[in-house]
Amino acid sequence: MSVRDELYDYINENFLYLQPDLELTDEDRFLELGVIDSTGVVELVGEVEERYGITVEDAEITEDNFGSLAGLVRFVSSKRTAAV
Amino acid sequence: MAVRTLDDHLRASAARTPAKTAIVAGDRRVSYDELDRLADGIAGGLIASGIERGDRVGVFLPNTVEGAASIYGVLRAGAAFSPLNPTMKAEKLGQVLADAGAAGIICETAHRGVVGAAAALAPSLRTVVCVGEGEAGDIPFAQLAAHEAPRSLRATAIDLAALIYTSGSTGKPKGVTLTHQNMTFAAASLAEYLEMQHDEVVLLCLPLSFDYGLYQLLLTVLVGGTLVLEKGFAFPGRVVGLLESEGVTGLPGVPTLFGVLLGLRGLGDRELPALRYLSNTGAALSVTTIAGLRETFPAARIYSMYGLTECKRVSYLPPHLIDVKPASVGIPIPGTEVWVEDGDGNVCAPGEVGELIVRGPHVMQGYWNDKDATAKRLRPGRWAWERELMTGDLFKRDAEGHLYFVGRKDDMIKSRGEKVAPREVEEVLYAVPGVRDAAVIGVPDALLGSAIHAYVSVFEDAELDERMLKRACAAKLEDYMVPQRIEIRDELPRSTAGKIDKLVLSAQALERLAAATA
């Protein structure tokens, strides 16, 4: 499974069930649509660190990196590349 | 100039330092002069639209320049504002607008649909102002703000300035009524003990609709400082960036915000020389969080505070005592007095637990349209014209007079620093077809203060699962009221009198918590 599909499944499973009518696109902003709130982002950061074995620094938890599926995929990919 | 009304603070700061930045919101920077003119325009526009002196106008906006300016614009029109949480859903918004008899509301495109549905329940609503694209009949915000300033001063110090809705234990929101005098007094008292300066840069990640958030605007404008507005702290990387780039001097927070910050990697290595103080209220900071904050921000003063919307704030711990008495919320705010009283009205001895009573010019005038609820919180005071506030919170004081919060007399939950009435959540659950019983309790949580847990039993033929119930809550309740956990059980425990026994549920939740951390 691709990183995108893995992350989509995680978000779908843990957050999207609250809004069953919402069809989330990769560019949709989580916060604007009410998909994720502050504690949700904390969970998401923990999940990404554990699943991909990466370390997230404080200043990296931004809307660019964690605010949409596309952003998240970009961020995870760049961190994994950097780690190799 | 003399300050009589809250918007006089803005006039005074605009006259003193017109070019200074008042508000930073995203890419926008607005000077005092611009903010003052914006408020003038909004006031003129509201009056032209038919808003009259004493009318109530809802401000249903997130943390934006428009949100901040609207508060002063409404006041300058001689009307009172009601700050409304932008995550409020249609039914509750309708209830609140109807209760307030609101004549107008200022909202933005994203929430225009909710306002439309709510308006059906609130016949008093005549004027809808929309930031961005609205509906036919709306007044565009830009058009409103382009008006000329109203000519005469329209409110006096004893007029209603704000109607702030707060959760009530009955589940029905209650409107706390505050005059200009109440609020100018409270703002001055807070600015005094926080030692706020004209060069203050306050970062606000809490909603302006929450009175703690609202006062950051009022305080900053009072001292002529700069308020940096953020829409929440979901992306703490941005918060950290702003602390550095804006040279933030004051960070008001709740335990959830500080918990998220302390969980960040790398924050402790940053030097934030400008940061002078952190303040906390809404729920007590744990001793661990205080220790964490002391270590991460060694140069900042930490204010541990306690309050309720009914008088804004009650007490603060002078920051030099934070290591000595970390569990205390300190002494009454300047210009007020408090005491702890037993059931017979006697002042309690040190160490003895009783109800906290508050006296001062910050005490609200009562609950809007609700004499019975008012009589339960306000009672005649020392003089014939004054009333004292019975907080409903249990406290004790030590030999030096420092206050300690012990618990609440009712079952209200404090989650993310905001008050949640279990009854309000239970009513939403009971309304789901198939639900037989519902009980909601608060369970200690490191990040939230209290997490909201719901226990539900369903009728035999009902096909319900936890997610469906959570969805039903998310559709009706503000975000912070949605339970973190919903458990379906065959039956809920009952007391001998047949009532659902929440004490048993709480004890079980604590046991599970202890088992999980063991």
Side-chain angles (χ1 to χ4, degrees):
Chain A
M1 215 197 283
S2 68
V3 170
R4 186 257 169 217
D5 291 351
E6 283 174 359
L7 287 169
Y8 179 84
D9 282 354
Y10 171 76
I11 287 159
N12 188 38
E13 177 71 14
N14 289 280
F15 301 105
L16 282 181
Y17 69 91
L18 283 176
Q19 301 184 59
D21 300 332
L22 181 74
E23 288 187 27
L24 188 77
T25 71
D26 288 18
E27 302 294 336
D28 277 341
R29 287 163 176 261
F30 297 152
L31 207 58
E32 246 164 54
L33 296 175
V35 173
I36 284 180
D37 63 5
S38 52
T39 48
V41 173
V42 173
E43 286 172 36
L44 188 58
V45 171
E47 174 68 22
V48 163
E49 287 193 324
E50 193 173 322
R51 189 186 287 246
Y52 300 107
I54 57 178
T55 309
V56 179
E57 296 296 326
D58 58 359
E60 292 174 330
I61 312 173
T62 60
E63 184 152 25
D64 277 351
N65 293 341
F66 284 85
S68 68
L69 193 54
L72 205 49
V73 172
R74 266 196 307 273
F75 176 69
V76 169
S77 310
S78 73
K79 285 294 263 195
R80 290 174 93 191
T81 316
V84 174
Chain B
M1 63 181 280
V3 169
R4 300 188 180 90
T5 60
L6 261 186
D7 59 307
D8 285 343
H9 287 155
L10 176 56
R11 286 186 204 280
S13 289
R16 218 164 40 227
T17 50
K20 184 158 181 206
T21 303
I23 310 267
V24 177
D27 300 332
R28 284 182 77 183
R29 305 183 88 83
V30 172
S31 70
Y32 270 98
D33 184 50
E34 287 169 285
L35 185 63
D36 189 52
R37 280 189 284 159
L38 207 45
D40 271 346
I42 295 166
L46 287 173
I47 291 169
S49 81
I51 297 295
E52 296 180 0
R53 182 171 169 189
D55 276 350
R56 279 77 56 207
V57 177
V59 176
F60 190 45
L61 290 169
N63 285 9
T64 55
V65 170
E66 289 81 4
S70 291
I71 286 163
Y72 288 101
V74 170
L75 292 171
R76 209 164 271 189
F81 69 97
S82 190
L84 304 164
N85 187 313
T87 69
M88 206 182 269
K89 306 302 183 293
E91 203 176 313
K92 177 155 174 198
L93 179 64
Q95 230 179 59
V96 165
L97 292 173
D99 185 70
I105 187 166
I106 308 177
C107 65
E108 62 174 25
T109 313
H111 303 118
R112 183 61 184 84
V114 176
V115 171
L121 305 168
S124 58
L125 199 66
R126 302 187 303 265
T127 302
V128 177
V129 177
C130 193
V131 179
E133 199 184 328
E135 288 179 12
D138 289 3
I139 302 173
F141 184 85
Q143 187 185 317
L144 186 82
H147 275 78
E148 293 284 316
R151 284 219 198 97
S152 57
L153 183 72
R154 292 168 57 97
T156 72
I158 57 169
D159 274 321
L160 183 70
L163 186 53
I164 305 183
Y165 280 86
T166 165
S167 293
S169 55
T170 58
K172 181 179 159 279
K174 294 182 290 190
V176 171
T177 56
L178 300 161
T179 62
H180 284 271
Q181 230 163 23
N182 282 146
M183 298 179 85
T184 49
F185 170 83
S189 174
L190 270 51
E192 180 184 329
Y193 77 74
L194 290 167
E195 298 174 40
M196 288 180 76
Q197 313 286 329
H198 63 87
D199 59 352
E200 218 68 70
V201 180
V202 177
L203 174 56
L204 179 61
C205 309
L206 309 165
L208 279 171
S209 56
F210 177 32
D211 77 331
Y212 183 30
L214 169 68
Y215 264 85
Q216 304 310 320
L217 171 68
L218 305 182
L219 289 167
T220 309
V221 169
L222 166 66
V223 300
T226 300
L227 183 69
V228 182
L229 286 174
E230 264 296 288
K231 294 180 184 174
F233 51 97
F235 302 105
R238 191 165 154 76
V239 175
V240 173
L242 285 169
L243 287 175
E244 278 184 339
S245 65
E246 294 292 338
V248 170
T249 62
L251 179 64
V254 292
T256 312
L257 186 153
F258 293 126
V260 167
L261 283 184
L262 289 179
L264 297 176
R265 202 170 275 122
L267 185 63
D269 305 331
R270 287 169 192 277
E271 296 209 10
L272 298 165
L275 193 61
R276 290 201 282 250
Y277 74 87
L278 310 168
S279 68
N280 179 74
T281 186
L285 277 179
S286 68
V287 174
T288 342
T289 306
I290 292 175
L293 290 173
R294 297 284 287 139
E295 200 184 318
T296 310
F297 306 106
R301 308 191 298 272
I302 297 174
Y303 288 92
S304 183
M305 318 184 296
Y306 158 81
L308 61 170
T309 311
E310 284 79 349
C311 68
K312 173 56 220 157
R313 180 125 338 121
V314 174
S315 70
Y316 73 102
L317 182 70
H320 68 274
L321 293 174
I322 193 81
D323 296 327
V324 191
K325 299 187 176 188
S328 172
V329 288
I331 55 175
I333 64 171
T336 70
E337 54 184 309
V338 309
W339 60 93
V340 181
E341 194 176 277
D342 69 16
D344 300 322
N346 303 310
V347 174
C348 292
E352 218 179 296
V353 174
E355 181 173 7
L356 188 74
I357 312 291
V358 177
R359 178 168 187 253
H362 57 334
V363 170
M364 68 163 179
Q365 305 303 308
Y367 296 113
W368 183 258
N369 271 343
D370 197 339
K371 276 196 181 139
D372 293 344
T374 302
K376 284 186 192 137
R377 277 280 170 270
L378 296 182
R379 67 177 189 200
R382 163 77 176 76
W383 306 105
W385 56 83
E386 75 144 304
R387 286 185 292 177
E388 296 164 350
L389 175 66
M390 299 175 278
T391 61
D393 284 343
L394 299 173
F395 268 77
K396 62 182 180 186
R397 62 184 173 95
D398 63 21
E400 287 159 310
H402 292 111
L403 295 163
Y404 295 79
F405 176 82
V406 176
R408 296 190 59 91
K409 284 171 83 179
D410 57 26
D411 63 348
M412 297 292 272
I413 302 169
K414 279 291 190 81
S415 191
R416 301 183 201 201
E418 302 210 47
K419 215 158 84 173
V420 178
R423 175 88 174 266
E424 195 173 344
V425 184
E426 286 159 6
E427 279 175 7
V428 169
L429 290 167
Y430 272 115
V432 177
V435 168
R436 186 171 54 195
D437 283 315
V440 169
I441 59 168
V443 177
D445 182 279
L447 210 48
L448 299 169
S450 287
I452 303 168
H453 287 197
Y455 298 86
V456 172
S457 72
V458 301
F459 290 111
E460 264 173 35
D461 52 350
E463 287 182 30
L464 284 174
D465 62 26
E466 289 186 9
R467 297 194 150 192
M468 293 160 83
L469 292 169
K470 211 164 165 183
R471 214 177 282 154
C473 290
K476 294 274 183 195
L477 297 167
E478 285 98 308
D479 294 352
Y480 63 88
M481 296 190 185
V482 177
Q484 276 73 41
R485 183 190 165 95
I486 299 182
E487 195 179 311
I488 297 181
R489 293 194 177 180
D490 294 339
E491 241 167 287
L492 299 189
R494 290 193 177 270
S495 66
T496 42
K499 272 183 69 179
I500 297 172
D501 197 335
K502 290 191 179 179
L503 289 178
V504 171
L505 291 170
S506 292
Q508 290 169 348
L510 287 176
E511 266 172 41
R512 194 178 49 226
L513 210 60
T517 49

